[in-house]
Amino acid sequence: MIHRKKIFIKIGDLSRVAGIPTSTIRYYNQIGVIKEAYRTPGGVRMFDRIDTLEKINMIRFINRGYTLKKIKEYLISGEGGELNEN
């Protein structure tokens, strides 16, 4: 089994990488579509770097017009590959 060292990224860095405002990321977090790994003592949301790839893919799905409900179902299912229209 390969163990990866967890590397965390701040919400602001995620915002820059994904190209969306932090307020949008906070909203997605609030409705349960994405989850933060933890918060710093100062309240900054931190995300697992590897998990961030999933979040960026989710954002791409949104930009393609998929609903948040459909994306959440896809992520919960654990399926890989492309998100189907059905």
Side-chain angles (χ1 to χ4, degrees):
M1 173 181 249
I2 298 173
H3 294 280
R4 294 186 177 120
K5 180 181 177 182
K6 288 199 175 219
I7 299 172
F8 299 98
I9 184 172
K10 294 179 185 178
I11 188 171
D13 295 332
L14 176 56
S15 171
R16 280 186 287 284
V17 169
I20 61 172
T22 56
S23 60
T24 302
I25 295 170
R26 285 187 200 100
Y27 172 71
Y28 295 157
N29 180 238
Q30 179 184 10
I31 64 171
V33 175
I34 62 174
K35 303 253 186 265
E36 64 199 44
Y38 71 95
R39 289 191 190 206
T40 67
V44 175
R45 289 171 175 87
M46 301 295 288
F47 297 89
D48 180 284
R49 184 188 63 148
I50 293 172
D51 232 18
T52 301
L53 296 174
E54 181 179 276
K55 290 164 184 55
I56 291 170
N57 282 332
M58 183 216 44
I59 292 162
R60 288 181 181 137
F61 290 143
I62 290 168
N63 289 337
R64 291 179 184 165
Y66 293 100
T67 64
L68 294 177
K69 180 182 177 189
K70 182 70 175 172
I71 295 165
K72 185 175 181 180
E73 289 170 359
Y74 172 78
L75 295 174
I76 289 170
S77 75
E79 296 175 14
E82 289 294 314
L83 184 63
N84 295 324
E85 295 281 339
N86 303 326

